[in-house]
Amino acid sequence: MEEENLRTKQRQEGESSSPSFRLEKERICTQIHETRMAKTYSASHLVLGGILLVISLIFLFISFKYNSIGQKRFAPQSMEFIACLITGAASLALLVLGSVQMVLRTKRIKSLTQELNALKEAGKGSAA
């Protein structure tokens, strides 16, 4: 009697009773979880890139110096400008890396979700 109730419940939930269905569903769910965690890691690249961009702009503003007659002049030979270039390059690299990873991982999550939905639909069809 309990076995019939379990089968009925599984049919109502739309799940097949086969172990391969459960394993495949678990595999896809695990991949979705791992990809979401990696997407969070990509977001950290974007945040760090944004912070470095702000720091780079601060160094750029600091690299303007006053000359002997009190005029503000750009000094490209200063250490501040070199720091601006270094932090700007690092910022650009992190922003590009984070953006590309974010797009790719978002697409991966979407495809895995579609695969999971197709598996559920196939499970509903075989359970009926």
Side-chain angles (χ1 to χ4, degrees):
M1 187 67 170
E2 288 180 25
E3 189 174 313
E4 286 181 31
N5 289 337
L6 180 62
R7 286 184 187 162
T8 305
K9 184 179 178 183
Q10 287 175 344
R11 283 189 198 124
Q12 289 172 350
E13 292 174 357
E15 292 186 6
S16 174
S17 59
S18 68
S20 63
F21 175 82
R22 289 187 198 133
L23 289 175
E24 185 68 14
K25 181 180 174 186
E26 184 178 321
R27 180 190 65 80
I28 293 172
C29 288
T30 302
Q31 286 181 349
I32 289 173
H33 176 72
E34 289 172 355
T35 307
R36 283 187 177 147
M37 295 301 291
K39 188 177 174 183
T40 304
Y41 185 68
S42 300
S44 69
H45 282 123
L46 291 173
V47 170
L48 288 175
I51 291 169
L52 280 179
L53 182 63
V54 170
I55 292 171
S56 176
L57 291 174
I58 290 170
F59 276 122
L60 179 64
F61 289 126
I62 293 173
S63 67
F64 284 89
K65 304 285 183 184
Y66 287 100
N67 63 6
S68 60
I69 57 174
Q71 294 177 333
K72 202 168 193 179
R73 297 277 177 157
F74 176 63
Q77 70 278 9
S78 67
M79 285 301 289
E80 292 88 359
F81 184 69
I82 293 170
C84 168
L85 292 177
I86 293 170
T87 56
S91 170
L92 182 65
L94 284 172
L95 288 172
V96 168
L97 177 69
S99 298
V100 169
Q101 286 180 345
M102 186 71 75
V103 168
L104 292 177
R105 290 175 177 158
T106 301
K107 286 182 179 181
R108 175 83 173 136
I109 289 171
K110 186 176 181 181
S111 69
L112 285 171
T113 304
Q114 289 174 347
E115 187 178 339
L116 182 63
N117 290 337
L119 184 67
K120 286 181 182 179
E121 289 297 320
K124 284 182 184 178
S126 66

